[in-house]
Amino acid sequence: MLFFMNTTTGSAAGLAKISYTVSFPEAQAHYADVEMNITGLAQPSLEVKMPVWAPGSYLVREFAKNIESLSANTKGRDITALKINKNTWKINTAGLTSVTIKYKVYAFELSVRTSFIDVSHAFLSSTGIFLFPKGMLAQPSTITIKPYKDWNKVSTSLEMVNGDVFTRTAPNYDILYDSPLEIGTQDVFDFDVDGTHYEVAMYGGGNYDKERLKVDMAKIIREEAAVYGENPNKHYTFIVHNKQRNGGGLEHLSSTVLGASRDQYGTERGYHGFLGLVAHEHFHLWNVKRLRPIALGPFDYDNENYTTNLWIAEGFTAYYQNMILRYAGLSTPEGYLGDMASDINTVENQPGTKVQPLSESSFDAWIKSYRPNENSYNTGISYYDKGAVIGMLLDLEIINNSNGKYSLNDVMKYMYNTYYKTKKRGYTDAEFKAGFEKFAGKNLDDFYAKYINGLAAIKYDKYLGYAGYKLTDGLAASNDPTLGVFFNQRNIITTVLRGGAGWVDGLNVNDQITNIDDTPVTDLNAVIKGKKVGDKIVVTVSRDGQSFKIPVTLKRNDNVNYKITEMPNATPQQLAVRKKWLRL
C-alpha cells in the first residue's frame, strides 16, 4: 500500500503543470493579484502552502499574513479552499484534473527580503508571493507578469520564455524562491566578466557613475571567481534599491538584492561601502548558495533550518568582503587593516561576546539575531563580526603554518570542489573543521573549544604576530568616567551595559535622565565628561511618569580602540606571511 501511495503521488506530481499570472490592478494600494493554475492533477486533495521564511534571512516572517481573498475554482465552478494551519490551504480535488487558485498579496515593506509594490515599481521577493503545492517542490513553473501602466522592464535571474521579458520560467521551487523580481522602469546597465553576463538594475535614482561601477564591480567579480577557480553562472543580476537611507543585502543563487543610499556614491567612504556590499553578497554565490552548511538545503519552507555554521557562511563572507577589495586594488593595506581593527573593536566592546559562543550565535539566529531587544548587546555576539575575526585568525594560522604555501582561499576552494561539486551536498561542522586542519597542518580542537564553542579571550597578538603586526589600544591610558548606558538625543536610555555603573546601581532602559545632582541636563555627555571615575552622583530619571533619584557611582569606560600596527624588526618569516596575506 505504501509503495502504491508513493508511486501514485509521484506520478501525479510528475504530470502536474504549474503557472502563475501576476498583475497589479491596485498598485497604488500596494497589492498584487496572483492567479495560480495547476493542470494534470490526479489526486483526491491538494494542499498549497506559503513559505514562512526567506532563505538567507534567518527569521520566520510568516509571509502568509499578507494573503487576502484566497479562492479556488475549476472550469468556472468554485471549490472550497479550507485553511488548515497558518500557511496552508487544503482543496478537495477528487475527480479534478485542474484547479485555479486566486489570491491577493499586500506588499508594502521595501527591504532586501520582503516585497514592495507602488505605482513606481514592484519588487517581488518570491517566498512571500508564490504559493507552492505540497509535495511538488521539484516541479517547474511559469510566471507571467502583467505590468502596471508604463512598467517596461523585468530584472531577475529567471529565464525568459520565447524571448518574452514578461514571461519567466523556474525549473523548481528552490530556484523560484531564490529569484526575486524587480518590475518597473528601473535603470539597467550591463557588462561581461570572463564569459558571465552581469545586469545591474538601479531603482530609486542616485549619484552613481555607471562606467566606474562597471570597472570596479568587474574587478571584484574576477577576484572572487579566482578564489574558487570558476564562476558557475552564465548570467547574474544585481537588483539595487536606492533610497534616502538604506543598506543591507540578500544573496541568491544567481542574483542579489542590495540596499543603498542614493547619494552615497558621491563620497569615497560611501562608494567604498557600496563596493564592500557588492563584494559580500556576490561572494555568497559560492559561500552559502553552493558551498553551504548541510542544514541549508534542501530547504524546509515551513520551519526554521538550524545550523551552527553561519559564522562560516556569513562571517567568512564578511571577512572576504574586505579582503576582496584589497585583492582588487580597491583598498590599501592600511585601509584593510583599519577595516579588520574595526571588526575587532566591535567584538571586544560588546559585553555579549563574553556570554554567547560563536556557534550558539549561529544556531540561535532565528530567535536572537533577527529579534534583538534592549538587552541583546549584553547577551549575544554577531556571527558576522566575530566570524570575520575568526576568518582572519584562521587565514593567518594557515599561511604561517604552511610557510606561505596555503591560505584560507585554499580551504574555501577545496571545500567547494569536495562538497558542492563532487559530493553534491552541504558540509557538516566536523567536515569544515577537517578542511581547516588539512591546510593548517595541525589539530584545531583547542581553537574550536576556545573560540568557536567557548568564550576564551582571543589572543590577537599571537595571530597578528605571524605577519609582524600587533594591536595597539588608543584608550589604554584613558581614565574616562561613564554611566555605562547608551542614550538618545532626548537622554532616554536605550541600553544598560552589563557590569557598568547604570547596571550595578539600577538605571533602566526607557528611563529619561532629567537631572544630575539636581541640575537639569541638556548635554549629558558633557556633564559626565566633567566628572571623575569613582564620583558618586545622583541621577534623576523620569520612569513611567514618575520621578526617581538614583545614586550612581561612575566607573571607568573600559572600551578599547584598537589599531593594527607594525611590530619593530619584523623577521623575514613574518614579512613573508604579511606579503601573502595582504597581497603586497
Side-chain angles (χ1 to χ4, degrees):
M1 182 184 295
L2 287 172
F3 175 79
F4 177 77
M5 289 172 62
N6 286 337
T7 54
T8 301
T9 302
S11 298
L15 292 171
K17 293 185 178 180
I18 305 164
S19 65
Y20 301 86
T21 300
V22 186
S23 58
F24 308 92
E26 295 180 293
Q28 82 289 347
H30 321 298
Y31 278 92
D33 284 18
V34 183
E35 180 179 300
M36 178 184 188
N37 287 287
I38 308 174
T39 62
L41 291 173
Q43 56 197 79
S45 66
L46 175 73
E47 292 183 14
V48 291
K49 306 171 75 68
M50 180 65 84
V52 303
W53 69 291
S57 182
Y58 306 101
L59 176 67
V60 171
R61 297 182 184 275
E62 309 292 18
F63 294 120
K65 67 187 177 183
N66 295 317
I67 290 184
E68 296 178 21
S69 308
L70 187 143
S71 64
N73 69 81
T74 182
K75 299 178 181 178
R77 177 170 61 87
D78 291 340
I79 314 170
T80 300
L82 179 65
K83 192 170 188 180
I84 59 174
N85 62 36
K86 65 181 182 180
N87 68 320
T88 308
W89 289 260
K90 187 173 184 178
I91 303 168
N92 183 356
T93 56
L96 302 180
T97 58
S98 65
V99 64
T100 297
I101 301 161
K102 297 180 180 180
Y103 56 97
K104 302 172 76 70
V105 181
Y106 180 72
F108 195 55
E109 184 183 352
L110 184 59
S111 77
V112 296
R113 65 193 70 84
T114 52
S115 299
F116 180 92
I117 300 165
D118 67 7
V119 295
S120 67
H121 78 133
F123 172 65
L124 305 184
S125 184
S126 302
T127 46
I129 299 294
F130 300 105
L131 294 168
F132 71 91
K134 182 179 178 181
M136 300 188 194
L137 285 172
Q139 290 298 103
S141 59
T142 302
I143 301 93
T144 299
I145 304 296
K146 293 187 175 180
Y148 177 81
K149 290 189 176 180
D150 61 344
W151 295 355
N152 57 12
K153 296 173 186 173
V154 177
S155 298
T156 181
S157 58
L158 294 174
E159 299 288 350
M160 287 187 283
V161 177
N162 296 325
D164 183 357
V165 70
F166 291 110
T167 306
R168 304 288 175 145
T169 185
N172 56 58
Y173 277 91
D174 285 334
I175 298 295
L176 176 59
Y177 289 150
D178 216 11
S179 306
L181 299 95
E182 176 69 26
I183 308 160
T185 58
Q186 60 270 22
D187 184 19
V188 176
F189 63 91
D190 57 4
F191 56 94
D192 293 294
V193 181
D194 300 331
T196 302
H197 186 70
Y198 282 83
E199 175 184 321
V200 183
M202 290 283 197
Y203 166 78
N207 59 350
Y208 51 87
D209 180 334
K210 295 180 189 179
E211 296 307 313
R212 186 184 183 190
L213 282 173
K214 287 180 186 180
V215 172
D216 291 342
M217 291 173 73
K219 291 178 181 178
I220 290 168
I221 291 162
R222 192 168 284 113
E223 290 295 342
E224 291 185 342
V227 172
Y228 293 95
E230 68 173 14
N231 189 331
N233 286 309
K234 292 300 181 184
H235 59 84
Y236 188 95
T237 302
F238 288 95
I239 298 172
V240 186
H241 292 148
N242 294 298
K243 299 169 63 179
Q244 184 177 10
R245 296 284 182 271
N246 203 14
L250 187 65
E251 69 276 3
H252 297 284
L253 193 69
S254 303
S255 64
T256 187
V257 186
L258 310 180
S261 299
R262 64 174 59 96
D263 294 328
Q264 78 177 81
Y265 307 93
T267 67
E268 284 306 307
R269 180 179 180 182
Y271 185 68
H272 180 87
F274 180 74
L275 292 182
L277 182 59
V278 168
H280 183 106
E281 300 304 336
H282 187 264
F283 195 82
H284 271 313
L285 79 84
W286 295 274
N287 188 30
V288 88
K289 299 313 300 183
R290 291 172 173 84
L291 171 60
R292 58 174 176 78
I294 201 164
L296 298 184
F299 292 114
D300 178 352
Y301 294 105
D302 288 301
N303 301 288
E304 297 88 343
N305 293 227
Y306 292 100
T307 173
T308 56
N309 291 124
L310 293 181
W311 61 274
I312 297 174
E314 289 290 357
F316 278 23
T317 303
Y319 173 66
Y320 270 102
Q321 76 181 54
N322 294 321
M323 184 58 81
I324 291 297
L325 296 188
R326 173 71 208 113
Y327 289 172
L330 298 169
S331 176
T332 64
E334 295 75 22
Y336 169 75
L337 293 175
D339 288 335
M340 289 311 305
S342 178
D343 284 339
I344 293 171
N345 288 330
T346 298
V347 171
E348 294 304 317
N349 286 330
Q350 186 164 338
T353 195
K354 299 177 181 178
V355 176
Q356 185 182 50
L358 186 55
S359 56
E360 182 183 299
S361 173
S362 297
F363 194 83
D364 279 348
W366 298 91
I367 59 171
K368 291 188 177 182
S369 180
Y370 283 88
R371 287 193 176 116
N373 62 23
E374 67 283 348
N375 199 40
S376 294
Y377 199 71
N378 295 314
T379 62
I381 192 65
S382 167
Y383 47 77
Y384 285 87
D385 299 324
K386 192 169 183 179
V389 169
I390 294 300
M392 178 189 74
L393 303 186
L394 286 168
D395 201 3
L396 287 165
E397 181 76 39
I398 292 165
I399 295 171
N400 182 71
N401 283 13
S402 68
N403 293 316
K405 183 177 181 180
Y406 302 122
S407 71
L408 186 59
N409 295 356
D410 296 286
V411 178
M412 303 305 285
K413 184 177 181 179
Y414 166 78
M415 295 297 292
Y416 174 81
N417 286 330
T418 301
Y419 291 95
Y420 169 67
K421 296 190 70 176
T422 303
K423 298 188 177 184
K424 302 184 186 306
R425 64 167 175 85
Y427 57 81
T428 66
D429 183 83
E431 287 167 341
F432 218 117
K433 177 174 175 289
F436 292 135
E437 292 172 338
K438 175 181 176 67
F439 290 93
K442 63 183 295 187
N443 181 285
L444 292 174
D445 286 353
D446 186 60
F447 185 94
Y448 264 68
K450 288 180 176 179
Y451 301 146
I452 309 303
N453 302 316
L455 298 170
I458 296 175
K459 296 180 179 179
Y460 293 103
D461 282 352
K462 170 186 173 181
Y463 297 91
L464 290 170
Y466 293 151
Y469 290 111
K470 64 178 180 178
L471 285 184
T472 303
D473 182 9
L475 297 177
S478 69
N479 198 35
D480 296 332
T482 179
L483 272 175
V485 300
F486 295 152
F487 51 89
N488 63 21
Q489 292 180 337
R490 297 173 57 204
N491 294 333
I492 296 175
I493 296 174
T494 56
T495 300
V496 179
L497 299 176
R498 184 185 293 271
W503 177 284
V504 171
D505 292 325
L507 295 179
N508 289 183
V509 168
N510 296 328
D511 284 351
Q512 183 173 27
I513 299 174
T514 59
N515 296 70
I516 300 289
D517 294 333
D518 294 324
T519 300
V521 174
T522 52
D523 187 343
L524 182 55
N525 280 320
V527 172
I528 299 303
K529 190 175 181 180
K531 304 291 184 180
K532 299 190 298 296
V533 174
D535 280 356
K536 296 181 179 181
I537 62 176
V538 177
V539 181
T540 303
V541 302
S542 175
R543 179 184 296 173
D544 190 31
Q546 295 180 304
S547 183
F548 295 88
K549 293 181 181 293
I550 302 174
V552 177
T553 301
L554 296 176
K555 291 193 170 191
R556 178 184 179 273
N557 187 342
D558 58 2
N559 273 2
V560 296
N561 184 19
Y562 287 129
K563 292 183 179 180
I564 298 175
T565 58
E566 292 187 16
M567 297 169 59
N569 305 317
T571 66
Q573 166 74 6
Q574 289 171 321
L575 292 175
V577 171
R578 183 186 301 180
K579 181 178 180 180
K580 172 84 170 182
W581 182 39
L582 299 180
R583 291 273 182 97
L584 300 179

